[in-house]
Amino acid sequence: MTTRDEQLRDEALQMVEENEELVSQDPYRLSYHLMPPVGLLNDPNGFIQWKGTYHLFYQWLPFKTDHGAKFWGHYSSTDLVDWTHEPIALTPSEWFEKNGCYSGSTIDHDGKLYLFYTGNVKDEAGNRETYQCVAISEDGLDFDKKGPVVHLPDGYTAHFRDPKVWKKDGLYYMVVGAQSKELTGKVALFRSSDLEEWELMGNAAGSYQGGLHDFGYMWECPDLFELDGNDVLIVSPQGLEAKGMNYQNVYQAGYFVGKLDYSTGSLSHGEFVELDRGFDFYAPQTTEDEKGRRLLVAWMSVPDQNEQDHPTIAYKWIHNMTIPRELKLMNGHIYQQPVEELKQLRKGSAVYYDVTLLDEERVFEGVAGKSMELIVEELAIEEEFQVRIGGDVRLSFNRKQGVFTMERTSYVDGSREKRQCELHQLTKLQVYVDHSSVEAFINDGAEVFTCRFFPSPKDESVRFMARGEVKGKLEKYGLK
Ligand code: FRU
């Protein structure tokens, strides 16, 4: 360990200790979502199940609730439910990462954990340099930095980051989020036989290729994997213009389904589809676990989207992850489901109701809380059905319009704001509420809406509203 590394670790731990009490007093602290102990959390990194244990690293700035020279924080778990905060995995201590150990991934190689990340460097004039680096661990806790293995190739700007590595037929592949010299978003693909020497194959996908026209000026956090016989590219493009109900956030996160030609490195693919239709979802990362499931976790925020107006800043922390979700591909569409293990969060006895509403608004005894799971299924909706959480977030389905809406009170100016998607029919709604977050899974995860919200801390209410007749089965669980 270098002295700079030790110094940064000490300073970070000091920040944690000094602010522990203040942070814990925030009524908007979540109970079962991963958060930073202090400071800012953004992208999930290095998600893997390794030797039985799940590891989820995260972009972390311990010193302020803003972006800057990121660390890799580290959580581990054996069941995706109870997480342990582990010692810091990476500090930005070396010349090749001095302005941040940016996002990346992990992979097992000969029983060791290889961690790939972007070393972000800025010179005095603010010019950026980028290095794709590797660090190796024998125990999954201490990482030995080996430095850069990929230097910026010709044809790209220094917006070149977030390596995701996987193995296929005895070779290793790496996708990197990139911007071409023409200022268009790309995904660069590399190949290696030993994880050390990397050969650039070309752009697997991007603006002005694979049937796309202009599709953003930068693509961040690519992730390429096989799902139910297809190849899926998940990516977070920047620079898409809002179009009807689509692309309403500042930046997007979504996927393409296709086929990667491993000899040419080019991905033929269909249309870009947003993974989550809510306000707060970005930079998702997946892993295949030992059960063969494809699991996803995302950052529950969006860069540059009024981050500095979050009320939790007063308590010296900001942002959290989504719950882990399992992905399935059906008829070319990704379905996201909360991982099964989350049932372990349920506590106390469940509350059930056979619901019939007719042009009315109702509350149901026992259906309230700050940390809960709601399921409404076998829904039959004549005109409109709404669920209002904590007097703030409203989830509604309007059958005539064929539209599902998530609405919340803006934490910037108190106005009401909404996100929407087309939906033919609402048959099932499963909602995870956790103090200041809502994740709504529609029709078994065909669509998902995620957001933060900052309700009056005392309001635990859930109100149901119907226009015309609504029938369904309601189930509620308190969560830990
Ligand atoms: C996405 C991102 C990544 C980068 C990281 C820095 O949110 O901008 O592209 O590696 O955050 O924290």
Side-chain angles (χ1 to χ4, degrees):
M1 223 183 266
T2 61
T3 39
R4 179 73 186 135
D5 186 42
E6 271 171 48
Q7 189 192 347
L8 286 167
R9 280 168 196 271
D10 287 349
E11 285 170 14
L13 292 182
Q14 201 180 329
M15 280 303 287
V16 175
E17 276 169 27
E18 276 171 15
N19 293 288
E20 214 167 5
E21 204 182 318
L22 176 66
V23 170
S24 71
Q25 284 163 359
D26 189 350
Y28 296 131
R29 230 26 209 164
L30 307 157
S31 71
Y32 55 90
H33 285 81
L34 295 180
M35 302 170 287
V38 67
L40 177 142
L41 165 152
N42 57 307
D43 313 351
N45 292 157
F47 191 20
I48 193 169
Q49 188 179 21
W50 189 63
K51 301 184 180 172
T53 302
Y54 293 96
H55 294 265
L56 186 72
F57 303 85
Y58 64 95
Q59 287 287 285
W60 184 29
L61 191 59
F63 308 124
K64 50 180 185 157
T65 46
D66 202 351
H67 296 272
K70 301 283 166 62
F71 290 53
W72 272 43
H74 184 187
Y75 277 104
S76 73
S77 171
T78 51
D79 59 5
L80 298 167
V81 177
D82 287 316
W83 293 88
T84 305
H85 200 236
E86 300 286 2
I88 293 164
L90 301 175
T91 70
S93 58
E94 303 288 333
W95 68 266
F96 48 80
E97 58 187 13
K98 76 177 175 63
N99 298 93
C101 298
Y102 275 11
S103 288
S105 55
T106 56
I107 189 168
D108 174 88
H109 178 50
D110 291 340
K112 293 185 185 149
L113 191 60
Y114 279 59
L115 186 163
F116 288 86
Y117 66 103
T118 298
N120 180 50
V121 175
K122 278 184 189 160
D123 69 13
E124 262 125 62
N127 298 314
R128 205 185 272 267
E129 291 165 27
T130 174
Y131 303 94
Q132 312 318 307
C133 306
V134 66
I136 303 174
S137 177
E138 308 249 345
D139 61 1
L141 294 171
D142 281 324
F143 289 87
D144 187 13
K145 289 178 187 167
K146 301 291 180 197
V149 286
V150 171
H151 292 261
L152 181 63
D154 286 344
Y156 302 95
T157 73
H159 286 287
F160 193 85
R161 54 178 173 264
D162 313 333
K164 173 85 200 257
V165 175
W166 74 101
K167 191 176 187 180
K168 165 94 177 165
D169 299 334
L171 288 175
Y172 293 99
Y173 295 85
M174 177 199 285
V175 275
V176 179
Q179 179 178 64
S180 72
K181 279 269 191 265
E182 295 74 36
L183 308 186
T184 62
K186 296 283 180 187
V187 170
L189 177 67
F190 292 81
R191 180 166 59 191
S192 169
S193 57
D194 57 8
L195 293 173
E196 278 171 35
E197 300 280 322
W198 291 92
E199 168 207 354
L200 177 65
M201 297 179 73
N203 292 321
S207 278
Y208 299 105
Q209 66 181 92
L212 295 175
H213 295 282
D214 175 16
F215 210 75
Y217 55 81
M218 170 65 190
W219 284 17
E220 296 191 314
C221 300
D223 189 352
L224 217 164
F225 53 89
E226 212 179 292
L227 190 62
D228 300 321
N230 291 265
D231 293 314
V232 173
L233 171 66
I234 285 183
V235 73
S236 296
Q238 301 187 320
L240 306 187
E241 262 171 50
K243 210 163 121 196
M245 292 179 208
N246 294 337
Y247 315 154
Q248 289 290 325
N249 291 331
V250 171
Y251 307 126
Q252 276 56 55
Y255 65 94
F256 298 95
V257 178
K259 203 81 215 156
L260 179 64
D261 183 333
Y262 275 88
S263 59
T264 64
S266 149
L267 180 80
S268 55
H269 60 76
E271 283 189 1
F272 179 76
V273 181
E274 285 172 85
L275 269 165
D276 193 291
R277 313 291 312 204
F279 297 88
D280 297 299
F281 183 94
Y282 195 71
Q285 192 179 73
T286 74
T287 190
E288 190 185 9
D289 78 351
E290 288 165 5
K291 291 192 182 127
R293 299 179 296 180
R294 180 59 56 176
L295 306 179
L296 174 145
V297 172
W299 174 31
M300 203 188 286
S301 188
V302 177
D304 304 328
Q305 192 167 279
N306 304 114
E307 292 181 70
Q308 289 310 311
D309 291 308
H310 273 242
T312 67
I313 282 179
Y315 292 86
K316 295 267 179 79
W317 73 282
I318 181 168
H319 303 319
N320 57 280
M321 296 298 173
T322 66
I323 53 172
R325 306 169 180 183
E326 181 179 352
L327 303 186
K328 295 245 164 74
L329 189 69
M330 283 185 281
N331 299 323
H333 186 85
I334 288 188
Y335 286 70
Q336 297 174 65
Q337 292 256 273
V339 293
E340 212 193 335
E341 287 90 332
L342 293 183
K343 289 188 180 141
Q344 294 169 39
L345 288 171
R346 294 174 181 175
K347 60 161 200 203
S349 41
V351 181
Y352 298 96
Y353 287 96
D354 264 322
V355 172
T356 303
L357 300 170
L358 184 64
D359 286 314
E360 63 186 314
E361 189 178 305
R362 278 209 27 209
V363 294
F364 293 89
E365 165 113 39
V367 180
K370 285 279 172 201
S371 177
M372 64 184 159
E373 179 188 347
L374 300 169
I375 302 172
V376 201
E377 53 194 338
E378 294 178 39
L379 271 164
I381 298 166
E382 200 178 31
E383 280 179 51
E384 188 168 352
F385 176 53
Q386 299 189 354
V387 183
R388 183 146 194 193
I389 297 156
D392 186 327
V393 169
R394 190 195 303 270
L395 303 168
S396 61
F397 173 66
N398 183 305
R399 186 167 156 209
K400 216 197 263 142
Q401 293 166 358
V403 172
F404 189 94
T405 304
M406 169 183 257
E407 202 185 293
R408 72 170 174 190
T409 303
S410 159
Y411 56 80
V412 179
D413 60 10
S415 63
R416 295 292 286 173
E417 50 185 1
K418 63 184 181 196
R419 294 289 182 269
Q420 297 184 300
C421 78
E422 283 176 15
L423 190 72
H424 179 62
Q425 188 58 277
L426 178 67
T427 52
K428 180 173 173 191
L429 182 62
Q430 181 177 15
V431 188
Y432 279 81
V433 179
D434 188 357
H435 296 81
S436 57
S437 80
V438 171
E439 287 160 280
F441 297 82
I442 290 145
N443 298 347
D444 291 313
E447 303 288 351
V448 188
F449 282 74
T450 297
C451 81
R452 294 298 299 285
F453 74 126
F454 303 98
S456 146
K458 289 208 179 68
D459 196 330
E460 304 200 336
S461 66
V462 183
R463 313 187 77 82
F464 297 84
M465 208 276 289
R467 261 192 256 284
E469 192 187 62
V470 171
K471 277 175 175 287
K473 290 198 177 354
L474 168 63
E475 215 172 317
K476 177 254 165 183
Y477 299 90
L479 301 182
K480 282 182 209 155

